[in-house]
Amino acid sequence: MTTPTGGYGAASPARARAFDDVMSASRPGRVTLKAIMYINGQQFAESPIFNSGTQPGPNSTYALRGNRSQEMRMSRNDAEVQALDWAEERARSVTNRDEVRSVQVDLVADTGACNGCKTRQQMLADRVGQLFPRTNGRVAVKPNYDDYSPHSATDGRRDFSTGQVLSTYGYNDATRRTNSYTADNNPEAHATYWQRAHVPGGSAGVVDPSQINRATRTTPPTSDRDSPKFPSSSSNTSGDSPPRRQSPPQSAAQQSAATAQSQQPPPKPGGHSKSGKDKKGKGRKH
């Protein structure tokens, strides 16, 4: 997919489409997520929709089956596990890794990640940084999630018998962003969301339930017009071609669907729902 005209980086229109897809597919009681990978500032791959409640395959890296902590066991079937496995597979499909100067993985979801998946997302950032040594730290895994709550972190899973909160969804240190493509092309639609970046060697951003920041945010959201962009990185705006791939490790049907999806023009965005209980998806206005 090439960068659309209108002065946008590759990520702003891609996030508009991904939020539209995610919120259209969202259902109560589950998390819905889509992943997008950018290499050298250009879109490299886009995943299908992933939903929580799906058991990962036997070769899953991010299921972390050897980790027996309660948090990891509770979150093993989360949508993030499937998305992170997908992202690492796509990263490993790159053959000419010395040509890679920057990598960004967007995770677009209707809800922020639990503490277990925060740890998994940090693990992906660390592993991708090792996979592409010439990025010199210009690697980021960025969860982007609906801001139906005025707080970037909220109560997560509870103990069914005691009601005790066992985990946290989202991050205390997330920032609020405006999707510029949506704001410019459909100004009546909801265009803001929460975002947090995992970088190699960084913090997972785990939030103890007792430490949730419940203060209302007053800082204005920042634009994502130029995303993906890294400090001191010329490759993100130089138009470098994405690197070559090996044969994708996916079925013929999956490959055909992904190709058709990547050829779609950027949408006239409908925005995404402001309400965690009313996620109607495409075309909803606020």
Side-chain angles (χ1 to χ4, degrees), residues 38-234:
Y38 308 91
I39 294 183
N40 294 345
Q42 297 189 33
Q43 185 170 327
F44 180 71
E46 181 172 333
S47 80
I49 290 284
F50 297 113
N51 294 301
S52 60
T54 302
Q55 185 173 358
N59 298 321
S60 169
T61 297
Y62 291 89
L64 297 178
R65 291 187 171 93
N67 188 320
R68 302 300 298 168
S69 69
Q70 182 184 42
E71 184 71 50
M72 290 301 180
R73 287 186 288 106
M74 288 191 306
S75 58
R76 197 156 287 149
N77 293 341
D78 282 3
E80 288 89 345
V81 173
Q82 305 164 66
L84 298 174
D85 282 331
W86 172 91
E88 181 155 329
E89 287 177 3
R90 297 289 88 73
R92 291 188 178 279
S93 74
V94 175
T95 57
N96 51 334
R97 296 177 186 173
D98 284 346
E99 296 179 17
V100 175
R101 297 295 184 271
S102 66
V103 181
Q104 179 169 306
V105 179
D106 271 1
L107 303 170
V108 178
D110 52 1
T111 302
C114 70
N115 284 337
C117 289
K118 295 181 185 75
T119 300
R120 292 180 172 97
Q121 288 168 175
Q122 182 59 45
M123 176 179 164
L124 177 66
D126 292 338
R127 288 168 68 93
V128 170
Q130 295 168 3
L131 197 61
F132 300 104
R134 298 192 68 181
T135 54
N136 295 320
R138 292 188 290 270
V139 169
V141 175
K142 293 191 174 183
N144 307 270
Y145 53 102
D146 190 28
D147 63 348
Y148 63 86
S149 170
H151 309 118
S152 59
T154 58
D155 292 341
R157 295 180 178 88
R158 293 178 180 269
D159 185 294
F160 290 124
S161 58
T162 66
Q164 177 187 2
V165 178
L166 301 175
S167 188
T168 301
Y169 295 145
Y171 302 80
N172 273 344
D173 58 352
T175 57
R176 201 154 168 256
R177 305 296 303 271
T178 295
N179 182 259
S180 292
Y181 188 80
T182 296
D184 291 348
N185 292 276
N186 192 357
E188 295 184 357
H190 184 65
T192 56
Y193 58 94
W194 293 111
Q195 184 186 83
R196 204 267 190 179
H198 293 270
V199 298
S203 164
V206 169
V207 182
D208 186 275
S210 66
Q211 300 298 317
I212 291 176
N213 181 2
R214 302 186 190 276
T216 300
R217 300 290 189 91
T218 58
T219 305
T222 58
S223 169
D224 70 0
R225 179 177 297 277
D226 295 331
S227 183
K229 186 175 182 180
F230 294 87
S232 304
S233 171
S234 60

